[in-house]
Amino acid sequence: MFTVEQIENAHDKVKTGADFPNYIQEIKKMGVKSFETWVKDSHTQYFGETDFTTTSKPQYEDLTIADDSDKKKFIQQLKSHQKGETNYMKFCQDCAETGIEKWIVDLDKFTCIYYDKAGNEILLEEIPH
């Protein structure tokens, strides 16, 4: 199966949101089926075949997630990130500010769903592939 180190090596190639689809393709080839990333510290749990899981370490000091989500502002910031206008850390800060607690990526469906602290789905996006 895959390791966190292999995934992080692939993620190191991601400089902006514009690079995200290539990253998804690369880790899918490794056997990643889905992953769940927590905005507060960017730790991620990766899921593979036959109930295989592995979890990364926190990537930065804890961010405070806003209690109320602001979907409109989040979408504006997400679009900016996807155009390559912000880096990953800025994107995570924007998520925290707009009440996004985590996202879940499904590599079979090529979707990314963003959730607030109450577990409500804020946005479902299709990942280009």
Side-chain angles (χ1 to χ4, degrees), residues 22 38 78 93-94 125 128:
N22 290 336
W38 295 85
L78 175 63
Q93 291 166 339
D94 290 345
E125 277 204 313

Side-chain angles (χ1 to χ4, degrees), residues 4-122:
V4 169
E5 183 179 19
Q6 289 171 312
I7 293 167
E8 288 176 348
N9 287 339
H11 193 269
D12 285 345
K13 299 173 193 170
V14 177
K15 301 305 177 205
T16 69
D19 302 321
F20 189 71
N22 290 336
Y23 163 70
I24 292 299
Q25 290 289 349
E26 188 171 344
I27 66 171
K28 182 176 173 68
K29 288 177 187 165
M30 291 178 196
V32 177
K33 301 299 242 168
S34 65
F35 62 88
E36 183 173 17
T37 300
W38 295 85
V39 172
K40 79 170 187 166
D41 61 6
S42 194
H43 81 276
T44 301
Q45 186 170 15
Y46 300 92
F47 303 90
E49 297 286 343
T50 62
D51 296 327
F52 177 80
T53 66
T54 188
T55 304
S56 71
K57 293 184 172 113
Q59 303 298 307
Y60 47 75
E61 295 295 317
D62 285 3
L63 297 174
T64 300
I65 311 299
D67 290 329
D68 297 318
S69 59
D70 183 341
K71 182 177 180 175
K72 185 176 180 184
K73 186 173 183 181
F74 169 67
I75 291 172
Q76 290 171 342
Q77 293 169 331
L78 175 63
K79 287 182 184 200
S80 175
H81 184 64
Q82 289 171 335
K83 290 178 192 170
E85 296 170 0
T86 58
N87 64 18
Y88 181 72
M89 187 67 217
K90 173 67 172 136
F91 174 65
C92 291
Q93 291 166 339
D94 290 345
C95 286
E97 174 192 319
T98 56
I100 302 301
E101 181 177 54
K102 68 178 177 178
W103 61 81
I104 298 176
V105 173
D106 183 319
L107 297 171
D108 290 329
K109 296 178 183 173
F110 283 92
T111 58
C112 180
I113 304 174
Y114 299 89
Y115 295 90
D116 67 11
K117 286 170 78 171
N120 297 311
E121 183 179 305
I122 301 301

